[in-house]
Amino acid sequence: MFYQLYELNHAALQPARAYADAVRMLYSNPLNPLSNTLWGRSIAATAELFERTTRHYSKPSFGITSVEVDWKSVPVSEQVVWSRPFCNLIRFNKAMPAGKNPGPKLLIVAPMSGHYATLLRGTVEAMLPHAEVHITDWVDARMVPMAEGSFDLDDYVDYVIDMLHELGPDTHVMAVCQPSVPVLAAVSLMEARGDAFAPSTMTLMGGPIDTRSHPTAVNALAKEKGIDWFREHVIMQAPWPAPGFGRFVYPGFLQLSGFMGMNLDRHIIAHKDFFMHLVKHDGDSAEKHREFYDEYLAVMDLTAEFYLQTVDTVFIRHALPKGEMMHRGTPVDPSAIRSTALFTVEGENDDISGIGQTRAAHDLCINIPDGMKAHYMQPAVGHYGVFNGSRFRSEIVPRIVDFIVSHGRQNRAPAKPRLVRTSRA
């Protein structure tokens, strides 16, 4: 009932939010003489701060309408090219001149961890000039009717494999944070059965491949509490009148509370600064705050079975690095990967996936030739900086693009015969 009470509380505040919004408009209207006074701006700022901190944030749009390619602006449109109940695959179509190659096919697998795929807007924008970009647009679990069935970690892996089949040969895959484990599992299974649609390269960024390496607060919580605690304390039923009413989910607002709690002082200071920017009439700084928190506070629910299986497999049992991970009864063996090149990226100050957790993939993928593997640790960035921001655009993106171009199927030298070893031996 907690989720239903949360929704009822939010609904009860609706009149107060409407009143606060009306007050904000009144005291920020240029026709109102008080809007130019410190008192008037303080009232308007207080009203806006109240309305923003109590509202539901809807799913943002990518809003990418153009991209610069070869110093020319090229129109961009979105197209859903593959769809399932819990995910849509979006392709960003670039209106390239006739005969101009849009670049290698790139599948960006966004995290299914509370935020929408639009959190990777900067990642998409940075890669668009260099590739034909596709991204997984995960669906809010509370919006999926019960009739559509369940969705767990095994389904996630199946979705990744299906999308790679949809995109065809010589596709490159990039996993940001949480998807690193299911993407590595999907590629392992594809290579083990000789799947011709296994990706040419696999880029894993800030992912929890082996959380035993430099564990963070997130990892410590999972180890300390155990899976039964998560099942009893964070799993709830989606409330009425959501389309997924009755589905057991891990609510997005709980995930958001956890993330904000890790850096609560930072968020409090940010909102205090936002208030002062409004009072001082610093519109540019206030708008930057709005843009960031409109994205950051928009959250989605996860299915209970996916969340619990992920916590148990990745953070409690460490099944993948121990060689114990299974997918529908089939062992997941990264040593089966031989033809997919591997690139891993970490951030020096990452407080979500500690240093070494992503690099651990190299220790598992022992049959990828050394010339087809690379690792990069970006100095002075945290988790978010691994896939967004100025250092990502200037220092990480060029390395990813170079790796993709160098290891595309058409650019590879013929492979030499080599001794095959297995990580299970």
Side-chain angles (χ1 to χ4, degrees):
M1 292 295 293
F2 184 80
Y3 202 164
Q4 191 71 58
L5 290 172
Y6 172 83
E7 290 294 307
L8 287 173
N9 181 64
H10 181 267
L13 284 173
Q14 182 60 37
R17 280 195 301 277
Y19 177 74
D21 204 33
V23 170
R24 177 191 64 80
M25 290 189 289
L26 174 65
Y27 281 92
S28 59
N29 191 318
L31 297 178
N32 183 350
L34 294 175
S35 66
N36 293 317
T37 66
L38 180 63
W39 185 72
R41 290 197 299 270
S42 297
I43 292 178
T46 301
E48 180 171 352
L49 196 60
F50 174 81
E51 192 278 330
R52 290 186 62 84
T53 53
T54 57
R55 73 159 72 156
H56 261 327
Y57 287 80
S58 58
K59 177 185 176 183
S61 63
F62 281 99
I64 302 174
T65 58
S66 64
V67 65
E68 191 172 286
V69 181
D70 295 334
W71 299 281
K72 294 181 180 178
S73 181
V74 175
V76 174
S77 61
E78 297 178 27
Q79 178 186 4
V80 176
V81 296
W82 179 94
S83 183
R84 295 292 185 274
F86 291 90
C87 184
N88 295 308
L89 180 62
I90 297 176
R91 178 168 64 209
F92 294 88
N93 293 313
K94 295 180 291 187
M96 304 292 289
K100 181 73 173 178
N101 191 334
K105 291 176 291 185
L106 174 65
L107 169 61
I108 299 178
V109 184
M112 193 179 190
S113 56
H115 285 102
Y116 290 98
T118 50
L119 191 67
L120 302 189
R121 183 184 296 104
T123 314
V124 173
E125 287 179 321
M127 295 305 300
L128 261 177
H130 313 286
E132 180 185 328
V133 177
H134 304 72
I135 192 167
T136 56
D137 187 24
W138 301 106
V139 178
D140 187 345
R142 62 180 273 165
M143 303 305 293
V144 182
M146 292 280 286
E148 296 292 351
S150 62
F151 181 87
D152 61 13
L153 185 58
D154 289 336
D155 293 310
Y156 194 121
V157 173
D158 289 337
Y159 272 32
V160 172
I161 294 173
D162 286 350
M163 284 184 275
L164 288 170
H165 282 189
E166 175 70 24
L167 297 180
D170 205 12
T171 296
H172 306 264
V173 64
M174 174 192 293
V176 180
C177 187
Q178 167 267 321
S180 294
V181 170
V183 166
L184 181 56
V187 176
S188 300
L189 293 165
M190 295 176 79
E191 288 265 49
R193 63 193 184 205
D195 196 322
F197 296 105
S200 298
T201 69
M202 172 173 51
T203 301
L204 309 179
M205 307 176 67
I209 299 298
D210 189 348
T211 59
R212 296 172 298 179
S213 176
H214 293 87
T216 63
V218 175
N219 311 144
L221 177 66
K223 185 176 180 180
E224 173 190 345
K225 299 297 185 182
I227 194 64
D228 290 336
W229 184 91
F230 287 94
R231 184 178 291 108
E232 293 171 8
H233 290 84
V234 304
I235 300 303
M236 304 174 187
Q237 281 187 296
W240 183 86
F245 169 60
R247 180 183 295 280
F248 283 97
V249 298
Y250 173 38
F253 73 86
L254 284 183
Q255 177 95 339
L256 180 64
S257 300
F259 280 141
M260 295 192 73
M262 292 176 64
N263 298 285
L264 186 59
D265 54 339
R266 241 191 253 174
H267 294 290
I268 292 174
I269 292 171
H271 282 76
K272 183 199 73 173
D273 291 343
F274 174 62
F275 177 86
M276 296 308 300
H277 292 323
L278 292 173
V279 172
K280 295 176 181 178
H281 222 50
D282 184 355
D284 289 343
S285 298
E287 188 57 30
K288 287 180 182 177
H289 175 97
R290 292 189 190 101
E291 289 176 359
F292 175 79
Y293 279 99
D294 282 353
E295 187 79 56
Y296 189 76
L297 299 177
V299 291
M300 55 180 279
D301 296 352
L302 315 181
T303 63
E305 57 273 19
F306 167 77
Y307 176 73
L308 293 174
Q309 190 179 355
T310 299
V311 170
D312 183 52
T313 301
V314 178
F315 297 100
I316 296 178
R317 293 193 296 112
H318 313 290
L320 182 60
K322 287 182 176 180
E324 299 171 357
M325 184 174 179
M326 305 290 287
H327 174 263
R328 305 198 187 283
T330 301
V332 174
D333 185 4
S335 68
I337 303 176
R338 301 181 181 91
S339 60
T340 298
L342 172 64
F343 185 46
T344 54
V345 182
E346 296 180 338
E348 181 182 26
N349 302 325
D350 195 332
D351 58 353
I352 303 295
S353 297
I355 292 178
Q357 293 188 11
T358 312
R359 187 170 190 167
H362 292 274
D363 299 328
L364 303 177
C365 300
I366 58 176
N367 283 314
I368 299 178
D370 291 340
M372 292 172 57
K373 294 195 289 187
H375 175 75
Y376 177 67
M377 194 275 290
Q378 175 62 50
V381 300
H383 187 70
Y384 191 73
V386 171
F387 57 88
N388 215 332
S390 58
R391 287 191 176 94
F392 168 73
R393 292 189 295 271
S394 64
E395 301 183 45
I396 296 177
V397 169
R399 288 175 166 86
I400 295 174
V401 173
D402 179 66
F403 190 82
I404 287 175
V405 171
S406 300
H407 296 283
R409 304 282 186 195
Q410 70 277 12
N411 295 330
R412 289 188 190 175
K416 296 180 180 179
R418 59 185 181 279
L419 177 65
V420 175
R421 299 167 292 158
T422 65
S423 59
R424 295 175 178 275

